Amino acid sequence: SSDLMQRLRPLIGLNSDMYRASVAPSFHAMPKPPKIPQSVLVVIHTPALDVLLIERADHAGFWQSVTGSKDWLDEPLVETATREVAEETGIVVGGAQVPHSALFDWQYSIEYEIYPEFRYRYAEGVIHNTEHWFSLQVPEQVEVTLAPREHTAFLWLPYDEAASRCFSSSNADAILQRS
């Protein structure tokens, strides 16, 4: 690192202290772009209507279905749902156990106010999100692998218990409507 600094110093015209303080962080901590206020909620359930809930890592006791925002404005919602399911649970839609036809787009959305503690993730002034609802039927024994930075635990519960465990009332409504 110090050898690199010696070679870079004449090129960038900064002393090494200034380089460390003002330039180095940009190499390691590029700011994330603001989240797009269009998301999916995917109620994952078995044929017996046991529902998968996952607990958020950043909010202990916050149990929910799979959720997530579009990565880019033109991303089709079905791709957002498929990607988020894989990222958050390790379940691959279109794989051997879970065909593409198991993912159902309800063609239904709600708009809600973003919780104040999560607004920093969005562009300044954005306070509402439009959430599009999906469901995914999976086999009873499907393996779940959580993304540890996002979720810490998961539960399979009968749909009525799952609905009562959800932090979000709209998530509970989605579970109850699916059953």
Side-chain angles (χ1 to χ4, degrees), residues 4 16 21 31 48 50 64 86 96 119 130-131 165 177:
L4 176 64
S16 61
D50 287 332
Q64 65 181 68
R119 288 184 190 162
T130 302
E131 181 177 76
R165 183 72 71 99
Q177 287 184 30

Side-chain angles (χ1 to χ4, degrees), residues 6-77:
Q6 294 300 320
R7 286 183 287 155
L8 287 176
R9 188 176 303 167
L11 298 173
I12 60 177
L14 298 173
N15 71 38
S16 61
D17 290 337
M18 286 178 61
Y19 176 78
R20 274 195 297 276
S22 64
V23 179
S26 67
F27 288 129
H28 302 290
M30 294 296 289
K32 282 186 171 184
K35 286 181 72 165
I36 297 168
Q38 295 179 39
S39 67
V40 297
L41 174 122
V42 185
V43 176
I44 300 175
H45 64 89
T46 66
L49 296 180
D50 287 332
V51 173
L52 177 66
L53 291 183
I54 50 183
E55 184 180 30
R56 291 183 67 110
D58 63 359
H59 204 286
F62 190 118
W63 291 90
Q64 65 181 68
S65 294
V66 167
T67 61
S69 296
K70 288 182 168 188
D71 271 356
W72 64 90
L73 217 43
D74 295 343
E75 182 179 29
L77 291 166

Side-chain angles (χ1 to χ4, degrees), residues 6-170:
Q6 294 300 320
R7 286 183 287 155
L8 287 176
R9 188 176 303 167
L11 298 173
I12 60 177
L14 298 173
N15 71 38
S16 61
D17 290 337
M18 286 178 61
Y19 176 78
R20 274 195 297 276
S22 64
V23 179
S26 67
F27 288 129
H28 302 290
M30 294 296 289
K32 282 186 171 184
K35 286 181 72 165
I36 297 168
Q38 295 179 39
S39 67
V40 297
L41 174 122
V42 185
V43 176
I44 300 175
H45 64 89
T46 66
L49 296 180
D50 287 332
V51 173
L52 177 66
L53 291 183
I54 50 183
E55 184 180 30
R56 291 183 67 110
D58 63 359
H59 204 286
F62 190 118
W63 291 90
Q64 65 181 68
S65 294
V66 167
T67 61
S69 296
K70 288 182 168 188
D71 271 356
W72 64 90
L73 217 43
D74 295 343
E75 182 179 29
L77 291 166
V78 69
E79 287 183 27
T80 306
T82 298
R83 176 179 48 76
E84 288 294 338
V85 166
E87 287 175 7
E88 295 187 9
T89 69
I91 298 170
V92 178
V93 176
Q97 282 195 302
V98 184
H100 288 288
S101 60
L103 181 65
F104 180 73
D105 181 348
W106 295 18
Q107 300 292 314
Y108 180 80
S109 63
I110 62 166
E111 185 175 288
Y112 64 84
E113 189 172 327
I114 300 163
Y115 289 112
E117 62 263 35
F118 299 129
R119 288 184 190 162
Y120 72 92
R121 298 175 178 167
Y122 298 85
E124 189 174 339
V126 173
I127 62 168
H128 291 96
N129 182 71
T130 302
E131 181 177 76
H132 302 268
W133 289 3
F134 288 77
S135 57
L136 178 66
Q137 183 171 303
V138 298
E140 300 283 340
Q141 303 301 319
V142 72
E143 185 177 335
V144 175
T145 305
L146 298 177
R149 296 180 73 198
E150 291 191 48
H151 299 96
T152 56
F154 69 93
L155 294 169
W156 289 98
L157 294 172
Y159 73 89
D160 52 345
E161 288 180 46
S164 68
R165 183 72 71 99
C166 286
F167 182 83
S168 161
S169 61
S170 61

